[in-house]
Amino acid sequence: MRGFWSRALRRPWLMAACLALPLAQGCAPVRGVGDMGVVIERASGSVEVVETTGQTVLSRVEGLGDLSHASLVYSRDGRFGFVFGRDGGLSKVDLLTGQLVGRVMQSGNSIGGAISQDGKLVAVANYQPGGVRVFDAETLRQVADIPAIGADGRSSKVVGIEDSTDGCFVFSLFDSDEIWVADLKVPAKPVVTKFTGIGSKPYDALISPDGRYYIAGLFGEDGFALLDLWNLDAGVKRVLPDYGRGEKRTAVYKMPHLEGWGMTEDLVFLPAMGRHEVLIVERAGWREVGRVPVVGQPVFVMAQPDGRRIWVNFAHPDNGHLQVIDVPSRKVVKSLQPGPAVMHMEFTPRGEHVWVSVRDGDRVEVYDTATFERISTLPATKPSGIFFTSRAHKIGL
């Protein structure tokens, strides 16, 4: 295909002929992918391919299986999206042609994945069977299998998988209370460094934007497990020991998503589990320095690209709300009600707009982040995750 396009560029008549053909015949439109993205339609096993400049839906791709907890990563050039389905399916979508170009059923139950720093490997975290399977990004051929057998000898669910630097993936073992770092410079021979006893039931994780810190949330006890990937010899440390539901156990209606933490230059804004608060943490030393009262239990706490404001959505029964926190004043400055079941938010690359999925309203709303005005509405079938191609150039997304 690469050779075809190089010939077409030298022959205007060939380029014109290709542009006149329907996409089904294999010709991709001539456009960049920098303003494109994908909206997950969780109930129908489909995704919408969208563009943010004109705020339109370009195509719809079907046949992706169970997308009830789907996530996505992008190829290095942003053209291909790798969709991780809950049913264990790994699907490869071509954004330019609007086609499903590859799909493998790699497990019985999976919970997300990551793409390597060089874009050559796609890793999937699995519940059943527990472990991580790694695939060639070009062909979807399996190149590595890392069973998650913990120190107790039992198989464990894998959660919180993140791409790191230097050819590594980092992930947590929910049932075994461990964090593993897998070096896949030689995919056929993974080198795994294991950290045990990191805290009870790590349920999700994130990696800092610079790729240095891996942070796992703990469901079985308060606090977080922190691993400095620049200094593995230091082991896993416990931070924010008072974070969680505390001695008085409260109902948690939806687990917070740690990848949705809002990180600014020196602060972290994170959801208080089971509480109607957003916690403010100082990145130097990981010390709590404040709290912001909000309307419900936060799920995603996301910073605009400029770090000036934090956008928050909520668990049921308050999931029709959206609130905006001003970072300098540390106060809620705007409350919105986009519609029933606000599931996810995604900022355009420079942050002038935010796209909001309204699952039970079957639509995506687009807001101006400066004025908070709604500027567009796009139809979508039970939308959940929204993923723009700018993620292709960021660690951990």
Side-chain angles (χ1 to χ4, degrees):
M1 180 61 74
R2 186 176 302 168
F4 169 83
W5 282 110
S6 64
R7 292 193 302 273
L9 288 172
R10 295 194 300 269
R11 297 174 176 84
W13 62 269
L14 181 58
M15 178 67 75
C18 189
L19 292 175
L21 290 172
L23 294 181
Q25 296 186 21
C27 286
V30 179
R31 62 166 298 158
V33 296
D35 69 342
M36 295 177 69
V38 167
V39 176
I40 302 292
E41 296 184 309
R42 59 181 289 149
S44 55
S46 56
V47 299
E48 288 185 337
V49 178
V50 298
E51 56 86 24
T52 62
T53 301
Q55 297 147 24
T56 62
V57 177
L58 299 175
S59 61
R60 190 167 187 261
V61 185
E62 300 178 329
L64 277 69
D66 183 356
L67 301 184
S68 58
H69 195 282
S71 60
L72 179 151
V73 297
Y74 284 104
S75 61
R76 188 182 184 91
D77 61 4
R79 176 171 178 173
F80 298 99
F82 299 90
V83 183
F84 308 102
R86 191 59 185 263
D87 57 2
L90 168 60
S91 302
K92 184 176 180 180
V93 174
D94 186 334
L95 273 65
L96 288 182
T97 64
Q99 293 179 323
L100 178 63
V101 295
R103 178 168 167 80
V104 294
M105 294 300 297
Q106 57 84 44
S107 77
N109 190 331
S110 60
I111 195 69
I115 190 164
S116 61
Q117 185 180 26
D118 61 8
K120 294 180 179 179
L121 301 175
V122 177
V124 190
N126 292 316
Y127 272 13
Q128 183 61 44
V132 171
R133 288 179 174 163
V134 185
F135 299 84
D136 180 283
E138 182 70 25
T139 65
L140 295 190
R141 178 180 62 87
Q142 184 173 317
V143 296
D145 187 4
I146 307 173
I149 306 300
D152 55 7
R154 296 185 300 139
S155 178
S156 174
K157 303 180 186 70
V158 171
V159 298
I161 188 166
E162 301 287 352
D163 53 285
S164 179
T165 57
D166 205 22
C168 293
F169 294 97
V170 193
F171 48 90
S172 296
L173 277 60
F174 177 83
D175 302 294
S176 302
D177 305 338
E178 299 180 33
I179 293 174
W180 290 9
V181 180
D183 185 330
L184 280 110
K185 293 188 190 69
V186 182
K189 297 180 180 179
V191 178
V192 182
T193 304
K194 303 176 181 181
F195 300 89
T196 61
I198 59 96
S200 178
K201 294 181 170 58
Y203 69 90
D204 196 9
L206 69 109
I207 197 166
S208 58
D210 58 5
R212 177 169 184 175
Y213 295 105
Y214 178 85
I215 306 152
L218 303 175
F219 185 73
E221 58 185 280
D222 291 349
F224 291 93
L226 175 70
L227 178 62
D228 184 347
L229 297 171
W230 292 6
N231 185 17
L232 294 181
D233 290 341
V236 175
K237 298 180 180 179
R238 297 295 296 279
V239 296
L240 297 174
D242 298 324
Y243 173 85
R245 289 171 289 177
E247 294 181 3
K248 183 180 179 181
R249 310 301 280 182
T250 59
V252 177
Y253 297 107
K254 184 175 176 62
M255 294 298 290
H257 285 253
L258 299 191
E259 281 191 355
W261 278 16
M263 288 195 178
T264 65
E265 185 175 355
D266 53 1
L267 297 174
V268 181
F269 291 77
L270 63 139
M273 189 186 298
R275 301 172 185 168
H276 293 198
E277 295 174 323
V278 170
L279 306 186
I280 307 174
V281 173
E282 198 173 55
R283 289 183 67 173
W286 296 93
R287 179 177 60 91
E288 182 184 330
V289 295
R291 301 189 178 197
V292 181
V294 289
V295 73
Q297 292 184 7
V299 177
F300 284 102
V301 179
M302 300 180 67
Q304 292 177 193
D306 62 3
R308 173 63 189 270
R309 296 188 182 97
I310 306 293
W311 293 63
V312 187
N313 74 331
F314 302 95
H316 179 82
D318 303 302
N319 58 359
H321 295 266
L322 195 60
Q323 290 193 307
V324 185
I325 298 170
D326 175 67
V327 171
S329 67
R330 303 184 183 181
K331 295 181 179 179
V332 172
V333 293
K334 188 67 177 181
S335 295
L336 302 166
Q337 295 189 44
V342 173
M343 297 297 290
H344 198 263
M345 300 164 284
E346 182 83 337
F347 296 99
T348 49
R350 294 198 179 193
E352 76 280 4
H353 299 151
V354 61
W355 288 44
V356 179
S357 59
V358 184
R359 184 193 64 196
D360 294 348
D362 292 313
R363 64 181 186 268
V364 172
E365 304 282 20
V366 183
Y367 288 88
D368 185 302
T369 55
T371 66
F372 307 118
E373 296 295 322
R374 183 175 59 196
I375 58 175
S376 291
T377 299
L378 291 79
T381 303
K382 297 294 179 286
S384 54
I386 304 173
F387 306 93
F388 292 154
T389 54
S390 52
R391 290 170 170 254
H393 310 295
K394 298 176 182 177
I395 293 173
L397 294 177

